[in-house]
Amino acid sequence: MVTATAKCRLVKLVVNFLFYFRIDEEEPVGALLLEQCRIQKEEDTGFSLVFVDEPERKYSFVCDSKDECEEWIEALTKASYEYMRNSLIFYRHEIEKITGKLPAIKKLKKNAVQNNLDYPNEAGSTGAVWNFRRN
């Protein structure tokens, strides 16, 4: 039997990566790529992440309040490439309904994309203190 160990970590959401840090260090200890994962509310102030390819491993998080927990769940849900892609498809169809034509999509150089996109999950990018448990 594996017992879970709770560790207090600072976390920072950047696009679709959740970086985690030791309280007294500036460099991240690790990062979770938020793709093909399931987010589950555990308690009023807690939730967990489980990845499709590692269903036996569960990352548990505890926030300071119910509102903070809901904000993090929403930000993490919106952080995945899958969510952003589905949003893009939805808005393209909405534009087509209104204008009668699809919006033009130009090919951009890789650097332009990396430097100029503004992602919708900025609320979660400031970081927070969570009790971090990894099974």
Side-chain angles (χ1 to χ4, degrees):
M1 181 171 94
V2 177
T3 57
T5 304
K7 298 177 183 178
C8 191
R9 298 282 188 242
L10 292 172
V11 295
K12 184 173 184 175
L13 179 60
V14 179
V15 188
N16 61 343
F17 281 94
L18 185 64
F19 292 93
Y20 51 98
F21 303 79
R22 288 190 180 100
I23 301 298
D24 57 346
E25 295 180 10
E26 291 183 28
E27 291 297 317
V29 176
L32 301 173
L33 176 61
L34 300 173
E35 299 299 336
Q36 297 185 351
C37 66
R38 193 182 54 205
I39 302 167
Q40 282 187 288
K41 184 138 175 126
E42 297 287 332
E43 301 170 8
D44 281 349
T45 60
F47 65 92
S48 64
L49 289 174
V50 178
F51 291 86
V52 173
D53 60 346
E54 291 184 288
E56 70 284 349
R57 179 173 272 180
K58 182 177 179 179
Y59 297 85
S60 299
F61 300 87
V62 177
C63 300
D64 289 334
S65 69
K66 184 177 179 178
D67 289 340
E68 182 184 42
C69 183
E70 289 171 5
E71 287 176 28
W72 274 101
I73 291 171
E74 182 179 353
L76 294 171
T77 301
K78 292 179 178 180
S80 76
Y81 167 79
E82 295 161 32
Y83 179 88
M84 287 186 239
R85 181 179 181 278
N86 290 335
S87 295
L88 174 65
I89 291 168
F90 170 80
Y91 288 116
R92 285 186 71 202
H93 288 294
E94 290 298 305
I95 291 169
E96 184 179 19
K97 282 183 203 175
I98 294 168
T99 65
K101 56 185 172 182
L102 284 173
I105 298 179
K106 296 179 181 179
K107 290 185 179 182
L108 300 175
K109 291 183 180 179
K110 189 175 183 179
N111 289 341
V113 172
Q114 290 175 345
N115 294 328
N116 295 324
L117 284 181
D118 185 22
Y119 291 96
N121 56 3
E122 285 300 310
S125 68
T126 57
V129 177
W130 282 341
N131 291 320
F132 181 80
R133 180 180 299 137
R134 188 168 109 177
N135 292 348

